[in-house]
Amino acid sequence: MKEYWTMLASLMGALAFLQGVLHAVFPAELRAALARLLGRLTRAFSPYCYFDVTETDGMSNNEIYDAVQLYLSSTAAPASGARLSLTRPHNATSFTFGLAASDRVVDAFRGAAVTWEHVVAPRQSPGFSWRPLPEEKRRFTLRIRRGDREKLLPAYLDHILATAQEIRRRSQDRLLYTNARGGAMDSRGLPWDPVPFKHPSTFDTLAMDPERKASIMADLRDFAAGSSFYERTGRAWKRGYLLYGPPGTGKSSMIAAMANFLGYDVYDLELTEVSSNAELRKLLMKTTSKSIIVIEDIDCSVDLTNRAALPPAPKPRPTLDGAIDQDVGTASGRSITLSGLLNFTDGLWSCCGSERIFVFTTNHIEKLDPALLRSGRMDMHVFMSYCTFPALKILLKNYLCLEDSADDGAEVMRGLEEWIEAAEITPADVSEVLIKNRRNGKERAMEELLEVLKARAEKRRLDGGKVAAAAAPRDNDEEEEEKRALESPKEGKGPAGKNSCGDGQDEETDAKKQL
């Protein structure tokens, strides 16, 4: 054992002596040139090629570095078993993972394997810099096979950038925008006021028939993943939804569920605050992609049923003291028209952004102009009906934690199924009954709900009988009046049916009345 350590020490001394001789004989420039030559020879015969993605590009941050860090943190790194760093950015709702220093991870794209390595090296002390630099130099090194270069670049990098943007968008808080400022701009020149969007409604908690809910969710998935489809067909990447039905059937909850399902921001457009079609176009131009533009109660916002052209507003004229009377030009009414709203949803200005959904809500669909309802503007018409039995089971699960397989209150459940259709009760009314009785136990709450359904059904039956009884005499009176009108002689004619004036004046008067 002693001879082994003696031999090892002699060998290390010989290597140190040889290194000193090489440094004395060969200058540093020659050694660097030899190292570069060996590196080129190695890369020439290597089946791989390498790409470095540095953290900074000169004095600015490298966008690709941040995108690669986000991409690896959400896709390849957590499943690879590599050592990760855990972070949470500011104004974010989720944690992100980062690849630790000097660690590597394997990814795949289009059937080709790639390897990412995170290289961290200490930075040499700079002389003078206007901007403080980090103490370490960081970069990602991408290794791919030479035969896969045409397949991966630049498609793989575009995929990384798109995925990172989606991760960044979903990790941030969603916002609810409103234009209730009378058209004024904020300090950034934007006409929208944002607030955090924290509505908890989802499709799981939405009281709606499961089949209709599944069809809406499938349509939303196809829309969000339809970039290539809309580009191939030459259509604007947008979709229109019309939610109509009685009040309290969940139209606003449906909008919130759509926003939470897609991760989109919501723009609540108040038409009464829009003074002109030009201002409406400006509001549309200031909306972002991946958003839902909502106009609630469109039949009550402004009068859009008159297709006639509006008379031109009088020009402002000077008053007696020389000032301009602004009320003269604006008191005649708002200048937002049906044509301006149609161009807003389906015209050329609607194509200034992508991946946007327009949602109109109304309680009376018959009051809307047919031009607003055609395909291309409102692609899907969703009727928010009264509470059905499948929707009732969802509400019972939400408020009472009652599962479908539970045997508690089976008889009461059969009664609810029997009376729910006849009662015509909205999900909002059912929720109110369940909230009031949630502390009384499941069975008591269900019994109270059954009593409410029976009372509403009985009231509807009595009201329907009264209406039918009241309508019958009126129908008989109308028939009698029509018979008397047919039997009696017409006004303005003599006994023989001749006009009292034979000069044709009555015929001219009748023609004027018809006109």
Side-chain angles (χ1 to χ4, degrees), residues 390-462:
L392 177 62
K393 291 194 295 184
I394 296 176
L395 292 176
L396 293 176
K397 180 180 179 181
N398 295 340
Y399 291 94
L400 303 180
C401 299
L402 186 66
E403 300 294 338
D404 295 339
S405 59
D407 297 333
D408 298 338
E411 183 178 355
V412 180
M413 183 66 71
R414 287 192 293 269
L416 293 175
E417 184 178 4
E418 179 183 356
W419 289 95
I420 186 66
E421 298 292 341
E424 286 193 358
I425 188 171
T426 63
D429 294 335
V430 175
S431 302
E432 187 65 25
V433 175
L434 296 179
I435 289 175
K436 290 180 179 179
N437 297 274
R438 68 183 185 274
R439 288 185 293 270
N440 299 332
K442 299 180 181 180
E443 295 184 2
R444 177 55 186 166
M446 295 170 61
E447 292 174 357
E448 182 69 20
L449 179 60
L450 180 58
E451 294 177 1
V452 172
L453 294 182
K454 291 180 179 180
R456 291 178 66 96
E458 184 67 19
K459 182 180 179 182
R460 287 189 65 254
R461 187 182 65 82
L462 295 177

Side-chain angles (χ1 to χ4, degrees), residues 45-68:
F45 293 99
S46 175
Y48 299 100
C49 54
Y50 299 84
F51 300 91
D52 289 336
V53 181
T54 58
E55 183 180 11
T56 58
D57 183 13
M59 300 299 295
S60 60
N61 293 331
N62 190 358
E63 181 183 358
I64 303 180
Y65 179 88
D66 298 334
V68 170

Side-chain angles (χ1 to χ4, degrees), residues 188-244:
R188 299 172 296 172
L190 299 177
W192 298 96
D193 283 331
V195 294
F197 183 71
K198 300 292 186 180
H199 202 292
S201 177
T202 61
F203 279 106
D204 293 334
T205 62
L206 187 64
M208 193 176 186
D209 290 340
E211 294 182 358
R212 296 177 57 203
K213 190 189 304 184
S215 64
I216 294 174
M217 294 171 65
D219 185 78
L220 292 175
R221 289 193 196 97
D222 294 339
F223 171 78
S227 176
S228 58
F229 169 77
Y230 284 94
E231 183 177 358
R232 184 177 69 252
T233 56
R235 293 172 57 92
W237 194 3
K238 63 180 183 63
R239 193 108 174 119
Y241 283 80
L242 176 65
L243 309 181
Y244 66 97

